[in-house]
Amino acid sequence: MIFRAFSLTLSQVGDPRFRRVLLLGMGLTFALLVAVFAAFLLLLNWWIGPEAVIPLVGTVTWLNDLLTLTSFFVMVFLSVFLMVPVASAITSMFLDDVAQAVEDVHYPTLPEVPRQPLGDAIRDTLNFLGVLIGANILALVLYALLAPLAIFIFWGLNGFLLGREYFTLAAMRRVGRVEARRLRRRHIGTIWLAGVLMAMPLSIPLVNLVIPILGAASFTHLFHGLEGQRT
């Protein structure tokens, strides 16, 4: 069922609505990362100032430039880490558009559903973003202690969180939040595995910009497949 969902999603990658969400998600993601970097530079300049005094060395003026250059490479590295929660959370805000595009093509007989209010979408997105970032920050300890297993911890953790959130958002459009959670608990293993398969390519720079959209579409297919198994 999981691979069928992914296959159906790949058959629809040319849909203009997918491209629209991709461009919106990329724009918002890069804007947020640039804002974080700019704020970091302002804080650095306020803290260090145009010059610094180093014991036994004296006053130096190159330290700020050096740290600014170093901070750029640090932010490039962190952007790979941050891209996972940021791109995924932003895409979740537009999941309605992706899910509707999927249903229009593959499930045309379904009745229309009202769009999620923008305020609710933003609230869910911020909650999801906070959980993703918080969980990954806490996981840094495990990454350091179990370095050889870090990538597997990353996949397992983010696979669980992504599967949990994307499936719930896809399901509650049709059956409501309470029933979506019940269905998620019933099929937690399948949903977690699908989330892991989504998290694996998310660790690849640039590719991780596209994966959240494909994941949103795939979880829409997965929901309809699992929902059909309800007794």
Side-chain angles (χ1 to χ4, degrees), residues 210-229:
V210 182
I211 295 303
I213 297 166
L214 301 182
S218 297
F219 274 99
T220 301
H221 286 295
L222 188 62
F223 157 69
H224 286 294
L226 294 176
E227 198 271 343
Q229 297 179 4

Side-chain angles (χ1 to χ4, degrees), residues 130-150:
V131 170
L132 275 174
I133 292 178
N136 278 280
I137 289 175
L138 292 176
L140 288 174
V141 177
L142 291 178
Y143 297 158
L145 294 176
L146 304 171
L149 301 176

